[in-house]
Protein backbone atom coordinates (compact mmCIF):
# COMPACT_ATOMS: atom_id res chain seq x y z
CA UNK A 1 0.00 0.00 0.00
CA UNK A 2 1.35 3.45 -0.88
CA UNK A 3 -1.51 5.50 0.48
CA UNK A 4 -2.55 6.80 -2.97
CA UNK A 5 -5.07 4.08 -3.83
CA UNK A 6 -8.12 5.78 -2.34
CA UNK A 7 -6.72 9.29 -2.02
CA UNK A 8 -9.15 12.09 -2.83
CA UNK A 9 -8.14 14.36 -5.74
CA UNK A 10 -5.77 17.15 -4.73
CA UNK A 11 -6.75 20.71 -5.62
CA UNK A 12 -4.05 23.37 -6.05
CA UNK A 13 -4.84 26.94 -4.95
CA UNK A 14 -1.42 28.60 -5.28
CA UNK A 15 0.47 30.07 -8.26
CA UNK A 16 2.19 28.03 -10.94
CA UNK A 17 2.94 30.57 -13.63
CA UNK A 18 3.36 34.31 -13.29
CA UNK A 19 5.69 36.71 -15.06
CA UNK A 20 7.27 35.46 -18.25
CA UNK A 21 10.72 34.06 -17.45
CA UNK A 22 13.79 35.78 -18.84
CA UNK A 23 15.40 33.94 -21.77
CA UNK A 24 18.37 32.54 -19.80
CA UNK A 25 16.07 31.22 -17.05
CA UNK A 26 13.70 29.70 -19.57
CA UNK A 27 16.56 27.97 -21.34
CA UNK A 28 18.00 26.66 -18.08
CA UNK A 29 14.59 25.37 -17.09
CA UNK A 30 14.21 23.56 -20.42
CA UNK A 31 17.72 22.11 -20.19
CA UNK A 32 18.01 21.15 -16.51
CA UNK A 33 14.51 20.41 -15.27
CA UNK A 34 14.07 17.26 -17.38
CA UNK A 35 17.34 15.95 -15.86
CA UNK A 36 16.62 16.88 -12.25
CA UNK A 37 12.87 16.35 -12.22
CA UNK A 38 11.46 13.69 -9.92
CA UNK A 39 8.64 12.26 -11.97
CA UNK A 40 5.44 11.12 -10.32
CA UNK A 41 5.00 7.38 -10.82
CA UNK A 42 1.77 5.93 -12.11
CA UNK A 43 -1.04 5.67 -9.50
CA UNK A 44 -0.17 3.01 -6.96
CA UNK A 45 3.52 3.08 -8.00
CA UNK A 46 6.47 3.99 -5.80
CA UNK A 47 9.19 6.55 -6.53
CA UNK A 48 12.54 4.84 -7.09
CA UNK A 49 14.84 7.10 -5.06
CA UNK A 50 17.96 5.09 -5.91
CA UNK A 51 17.27 5.56 -9.64
CA UNK A 52 16.48 9.24 -9.15
CA UNK A 53 19.80 9.91 -7.40
CA UNK A 54 21.91 7.40 -9.33
CA UNK A 55 22.61 5.28 -6.22
CA UNK A 56 20.67 4.34 -3.06
CA UNK A 57 20.84 7.52 -0.93
CA UNK A 58 21.97 7.11 2.67
CA UNK A 59 19.37 9.71 3.67
CA UNK A 60 16.73 11.79 1.91
CA UNK A 61 15.41 15.16 3.10
CA UNK A 62 12.27 16.72 1.71
CA UNK A 63 11.36 20.41 1.44
CA UNK A 64 7.72 21.30 0.76
CA UNK A 65 7.31 24.67 -0.97
CA UNK A 66 10.94 25.71 -1.41
CA UNK A 67 9.96 29.07 -2.93
CA UNK A 68 13.08 30.50 -4.59
CA UNK A 69 15.12 27.54 -3.35
CA UNK A 70 17.80 29.29 -1.28
CA UNK A 71 17.14 27.18 1.81
CA UNK A 72 17.14 23.85 -0.04
CA UNK A 73 20.33 24.79 -1.89
CA UNK A 74 22.00 25.83 1.37
CA UNK A 75 21.04 22.51 3.00
CA UNK A 76 22.29 20.62 -0.08
CA UNK A 77 25.60 22.48 0.06
CA UNK A 78 25.99 21.86 3.80
CA UNK A 79 25.07 18.15 3.49
CA UNK A 80 26.52 16.93 0.18
CA UNK A 81 26.02 13.28 1.20
CA UNK A 82 22.28 13.74 1.74
CA UNK A 83 19.80 13.49 -1.11
CA UNK A 84 17.40 16.46 -1.20
CA UNK A 85 13.96 16.45 -2.76
CA UNK A 86 12.29 19.83 -3.21
CA UNK A 87 8.63 20.32 -4.11
CA UNK A 88 7.44 23.56 -5.66
CA UNK A 89 4.78 24.07 -8.35
CA UNK A 90 5.70 27.76 -8.91
CA UNK A 91 7.74 27.80 -12.13
CA UNK A 92 9.71 30.96 -11.31
CA UNK A 93 10.74 29.36 -8.00
CA UNK A 94 11.92 26.22 -9.78
CA UNK A 95 13.86 28.37 -12.27
CA UNK A 96 15.48 30.24 -9.38
CA UNK A 97 16.56 27.00 -7.66
CA UNK A 98 17.99 25.72 -10.95
CA UNK A 99 20.19 28.80 -11.30
CA UNK A 100 21.57 28.24 -7.78
CA UNK A 101 22.11 24.54 -8.50
CA UNK A 102 24.05 25.38 -11.65
CA UNK A 103 26.04 28.22 -10.09
CA UNK A 104 27.04 26.17 -7.03
CA UNK A 105 27.48 22.86 -8.86
CA UNK A 106 25.06 21.05 -6.53
CA UNK A 107 24.44 17.43 -7.47
CA UNK A 108 22.23 16.19 -4.61
CA UNK A 109 18.89 17.90 -5.39
CA UNK A 110 15.92 16.53 -7.31
CA UNK A 111 12.83 18.61 -8.01
CA UNK A 112 9.18 17.65 -7.90
CA UNK A 113 7.65 20.63 -9.69
CA UNK A 114 4.15 20.03 -8.43
CA UNK A 115 2.04 19.85 -5.29
CA UNK A 116 3.94 17.90 -2.61
CA UNK A 117 0.75 16.07 -1.65
CA UNK A 118 0.90 14.33 -5.03
CA UNK A 119 4.34 12.99 -4.22
CA UNK A 120 3.82 11.91 -0.61
CA UNK A 121 1.67 8.90 -1.45
CA UNK A 122 4.32 7.64 -3.93
CA UNK A 123 7.37 7.86 -1.68
CA UNK A 124 8.52 4.61 -0.08
CA UNK A 125 7.47 4.07 3.52
CA UNK A 126 10.05 5.23 6.09
CA UNK A 127 12.33 6.72 3.43
CA UNK A 128 12.64 10.36 4.54
CA UNK A 129 14.98 11.55 7.28
CA UNK A 130 13.88 15.18 7.55
CA UNK A 131 11.02 17.32 6.27
CA UNK A 132 10.98 21.12 5.99
CA UNK A 133 7.72 23.05 5.72
CA UNK A 134 8.95 26.63 5.98
CA UNK A 135 6.72 29.68 5.78
CA UNK A 136 4.03 27.64 4.13
CA UNK A 137 1.10 29.75 2.89
CA UNK A 138 -0.95 30.56 6.03
CA UNK A 139 -4.28 31.08 4.24
CA UNK A 140 -5.37 33.47 7.01
CA UNK A 141 -9.11 33.62 6.24
CA UNK A 142 -11.08 31.02 8.22
CA UNK A 143 -12.87 29.79 5.10
CA UNK A 144 -9.46 29.05 3.52
CA UNK A 145 -7.90 27.19 6.47
CA UNK A 146 -8.57 23.85 4.80
CA UNK A 147 -6.10 24.89 2.08
CA UNK A 148 -3.23 24.88 4.59
CA UNK A 149 -0.57 22.27 4.00
CA UNK A 150 -0.78 20.95 7.55
CA UNK A 151 -3.92 18.82 7.78
CA UNK A 152 -4.68 15.45 9.39
CA UNK A 153 -4.30 13.82 5.93
CA UNK A 154 -0.89 15.33 5.12
CA UNK A 155 0.37 14.53 8.62
CA UNK A 156 -0.66 10.90 8.16
CA UNK A 157 1.08 10.89 4.78
CA UNK A 158 4.23 12.41 6.32
CA UNK A 159 4.13 9.91 9.19
CA UNK A 160 4.11 7.08 6.63
CA UNK A 161 7.10 8.30 4.63
CA UNK A 162 9.21 9.56 7.54
CA UNK A 163 11.73 7.25 9.20
CA UNK A 164 11.51 6.56 12.91
CA UNK A 165 13.15 9.52 14.65
CA UNK A 166 12.97 11.74 11.53
CA UNK A 167 12.36 15.43 12.14
CA UNK A 168 9.58 17.61 10.77
CA UNK A 169 10.59 21.27 10.81
CA UNK A 170 7.86 23.85 10.45
CA UNK A 171 8.30 27.63 10.58
CA UNK A 172 5.93 30.54 10.15
CA UNK A 173 5.41 34.17 11.13
CA UNK A 174 1.64 33.66 11.30
CA UNK A 175 0.58 32.95 14.90
CA UNK A 176 -2.74 31.45 13.81
CA UNK A 177 -0.84 28.89 11.74
CA UNK A 178 1.43 28.16 14.74
CA UNK A 179 -1.60 27.29 16.88
CA UNK A 180 -3.18 25.31 14.02
CA UNK A 181 -0.01 23.29 13.49
CA UNK A 182 0.57 22.55 17.15
CA UNK A 183 -3.03 21.55 17.53
CA UNK A 184 -2.93 19.19 14.54
CA UNK A 185 0.51 17.67 15.09
CA UNK A 186 0.03 17.07 18.81
CA UNK A 187 -3.20 15.16 18.06
CA UNK A 188 -1.32 12.85 15.70
CA UNK A 189 0.14 9.95 17.72
CA UNK A 190 3.01 9.51 15.24
CA UNK A 191 4.64 12.81 16.25
CA UNK A 192 6.15 14.35 19.37
CA UNK A 193 6.97 18.06 19.78
CA UNK A 194 10.67 18.42 20.48
CA UNK A 195 10.64 21.80 22.28
CA UNK A 196 12.02 21.87 25.80
CA UNK A 197 12.17 25.63 26.35
CA UNK A 198 10.88 28.81 24.64
CA UNK A 199 14.18 29.45 22.84
CA UNK A 200 13.55 26.20 20.94
CA UNK A 201 10.62 27.77 19.09
CA UNK A 202 11.78 31.37 19.16
CA UNK A 203 15.07 30.70 17.37
CA UNK A 204 15.79 29.05 14.05
CA UNK A 205 17.68 25.75 14.64
CA UNK A 206 21.43 26.30 14.72
CA UNK A 207 21.87 24.24 11.55
CA UNK A 208 18.99 25.97 9.74
CA UNK A 209 19.18 28.69 7.07
CA UNK A 210 17.08 31.80 6.68
CA UNK A 211 14.47 31.62 3.94
CA UNK A 212 13.31 34.52 1.77
CA UNK A 213 9.98 34.71 3.60
CA UNK A 214 11.65 34.62 6.99
CA UNK A 215 13.85 37.55 5.92
CA UNK A 216 10.73 39.37 4.71
CA UNK A 217 8.96 38.76 8.03
CA UNK A 218 11.97 39.96 10.04
CA UNK A 219 12.14 43.09 7.85
CA UNK A 220 8.51 43.79 8.75
CA UNK A 221 9.25 43.39 12.46
CA UNK A 222 7.40 40.06 12.66
CA UNK A 223 8.67 37.24 14.87
CA UNK A 224 9.00 33.79 13.38
CA UNK A 225 8.22 30.57 15.22
CA UNK A 226 10.20 27.38 14.55
CA UNK A 227 8.52 24.12 15.51
CA UNK A 228 10.39 20.82 15.47
CA UNK A 229 8.61 17.47 15.72
CA UNK A 230 9.99 13.97 15.86
CA UNK A 231 8.44 11.00 14.07
CA UNK A 232 7.95 8.52 16.90
CA UNK A 233 9.29 4.99 16.64
CA UNK A 234 6.82 2.65 14.93
CA UNK A 235 5.29 -0.10 17.03
CA UNK A 236 6.92 -3.41 16.05
CA UNK A 237 4.72 -6.42 15.40
CA UNK A 238 5.14 -8.95 18.23
C1 LIG B 1 4.95 31.66 1.29
S1 LIG B 1 5.95 30.77 0.16
C2 LIG B 1 7.40 30.39 1.13
C3 LIG B 1 8.55 29.95 0.28
C4 LIG B 1 9.81 29.53 1.05
N1 LIG B 1 9.60 28.32 1.83
C5 LIG B 1 10.32 30.64 1.94
O1 LIG B 1 10.21 30.49 3.17
O2 LIG B 1 10.84 31.62 1.41
C6 LIG B 1 5.13 29.19 0.15
C7 LIG B 1 5.53 28.35 -1.03
O3 LIG B 1 5.01 27.05 -0.86
C8 LIG B 1 4.56 26.58 -2.11
N2 LIG B 1 3.55 25.55 -1.78
C9 LIG B 1 2.36 25.74 -1.17
N3 LIG B 1 1.71 24.58 -1.03
C10 LIG B 1 2.50 23.63 -1.57
C11 LIG B 1 2.37 22.23 -1.76
N4 LIG B 1 1.27 21.58 -1.38
N5 LIG B 1 3.37 21.58 -2.37
C12 LIG B 1 4.48 22.23 -2.77
N6 LIG B 1 4.66 23.56 -2.64
C13 LIG B 1 3.69 24.24 -2.04
C14 LIG B 1 4.02 27.80 -2.82
O4 LIG B 1 4.00 27.64 -4.23
C15 LIG B 1 5.00 28.87 -2.38
O5 LIG B 1 6.06 29.01 -3.27
Amino acid sequence: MTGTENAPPVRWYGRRGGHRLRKARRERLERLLPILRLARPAPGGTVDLAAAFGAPPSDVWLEVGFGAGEHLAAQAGAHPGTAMVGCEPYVAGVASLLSIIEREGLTNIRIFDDDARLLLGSLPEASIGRVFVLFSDPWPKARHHKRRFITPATLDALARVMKDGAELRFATDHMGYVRWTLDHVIRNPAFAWLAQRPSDWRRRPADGFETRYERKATGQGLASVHLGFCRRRRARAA
Side-chain angles (χ1 to χ4, degrees), residues 88-142:
E88 178 56 69
Y90 183 45
V91 179
V94 173
S96 161
L97 174 62
L98 287 172
S99 24
I100 312 176
I101 289 176
E102 190 163 61
R103 190 181 66 227
E104 319 241 323
L106 299 168
T107 57
N108 53 334
I109 298 181
R110 297 295 176 270
I111 299 172
F112 184 72
D113 55 329
D114 210 329
D115 187 325
R117 293 171 297 173
L118 297 170
L119 177 67
L120 289 178
S122 306
L123 287 171
E125 178 157 4
S127 58
I128 303 295
R130 188 169 291 179
V131 177
F132 302 97
V133 182
L134 306 176
F135 298 84
S136 178
D137 302 294
W139 295 106
K141 291 183 183 157

Side-chain angles (χ1 to χ4, degrees), residues 12 65-67 87-89 114-116 134-135 137 149 211-213:
W12 174 250
F66 59 71
C87 304
E88 178 56 69
D114 210 329
D115 187 325
L134 306 176
F135 298 84
D137 302 294
F149 182 76
T211 75
R212 186 171 287 199
Y213 271 74

Side-chain angles (χ1 to χ4, degrees), residues 212-232:
R212 186 171 287 199
Y213 271 74
E214 182 178 359
R215 197 160 56 245
K216 223 161 123 178
T218 308
Q220 292 169 357
L222 297 171
S224 294
V225 170
H226 301 266
L227 302 177
F229 305 97
C230 167
R231 203 284 176 220
R232 289 185 203 271

Side-chain angles (χ1 to χ4, degrees), residues 27 31 60 68 125 159 161 166 179 187-188 206 228:
E27 282 172 2
R31 180 166 45 84
V60 183
E125 178 157 4
V161 302
R179 283 191 293 275
R187 275 171 211 237
N188 189 311

Side-chain angles (χ1 to χ4, degrees), residues 195-203:
Q196 309 260 317
R197 54 189 77 79
S199 59
D200 291 340
W201 66 80
R202 288 190 185 139
R203 280 194 223 128

